[in-house]
């Protein structure tokens, strides 16, 4: 029997984990605040990501760490079998649960975005399964 972070959360054995990118986010923001990165280098969201942030995102209630003018939103993309090559932008938890019930391995990417200044950063990734999408 192995022990890991999933055991503390009650995840069943063999459940794939989640990769959290908070430390990388903090490093980028620290470099920006020190003046080593320019705003245009970190506020470079693709127009399609900005559209998804405006139309089908989940609010976080957290202010943008760059412009401090608006709240960040989360945009979730799913990649896997029988989905478009560019992935599928998920608009609700119900849609995520529906995808989790399909056969196959699906990778989920959650991106935080500021619709105002175009800050974006990969927040976390995980393998979609029914236990995780609830």
């Amino acid at each position: 029997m192995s022990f890991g972070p999933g055991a503390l959360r009650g995840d069943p054995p063999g459940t794939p984990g989640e990769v959290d990118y908070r430390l990388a986010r903090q490093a980028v923001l620290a470099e920006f605040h020190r003046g080593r990165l320019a705003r245009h280098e970190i506020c470079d969201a693709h127009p399609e990501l900005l559209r998804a942030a405006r139309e089908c995102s989940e609010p976080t209630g957290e202010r943008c760490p760059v412009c401090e003018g608006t709240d960040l939103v989360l945009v979730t993309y799913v990649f896997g079998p029988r989905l478009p090559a560019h992935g599928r932008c998920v608009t609700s938890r119900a849609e995520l649960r529906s995808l989790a019930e399909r056969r196959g391995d699906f990778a989920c990417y959650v991106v935080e975005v500021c619709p105002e200044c175009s800050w974006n950063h990969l927040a976390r990734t995980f393998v979609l399964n029914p236990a995780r999408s609830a």
Side-chain angles (χ1 to χ4, degrees):
M1 176 171 203
S2 65
F3 181 76
L8 296 174
R9 289 191 304 264
D11 293 345
T15 302
E18 177 175 313
V19 178
D20 190 307
Y21 293 90
R22 280 183 281 196
L23 292 176
R25 177 187 189 267
Q26 288 174 340
V28 169
L29 290 171
E31 292 297 298
F32 170 69
H33 291 300
R34 286 185 189 116
R36 294 180 184 158
L37 288 174
R39 186 170 175 162
H40 73 274
E41 293 177 296
I42 62 171
C43 295
D44 60 351
H46 188 276
E48 187 61 26
L49 179 59
L50 290 173
R51 186 196 64 76
R54 287 188 301 272
E55 303 296 328
C56 50
S57 61
E58 180 182 331
T60 64
E62 180 185 341
R63 284 297 211 202
C64 174
V66 177
C67 72
E68 298 176 356
T70 190
D71 287 348
L72 294 171
V73 296
L74 297 176
V75 179
T76 302
Y77 289 98
V78 177
F79 297 87
R82 297 175 302 284
L83 291 178
H86 55 79
R88 181 167 167 184
C89 186
V90 178
T91 58
S92 69
R93 292 201 185 272
E95 186 177 5
L96 199 59
R97 278 191 296 274
S98 172
L99 285 169
E101 293 171 359
R102 287 185 178 184
R103 176 173 278 167
D105 291 329
F106 295 92
C108 244
Y109 294 80
V110 181
V111 181
E112 70 175 17
V113 182
C114 175
E116 190 169 306
C117 75
S118 298
W119 157 260
N120 65 103
H121 197 274
L122 182 61
R124 65 184 177 274
T125 61
F126 57 91
V127 175
L128 190 60
N129 62 40
R132 169 127 4 239
S133 63

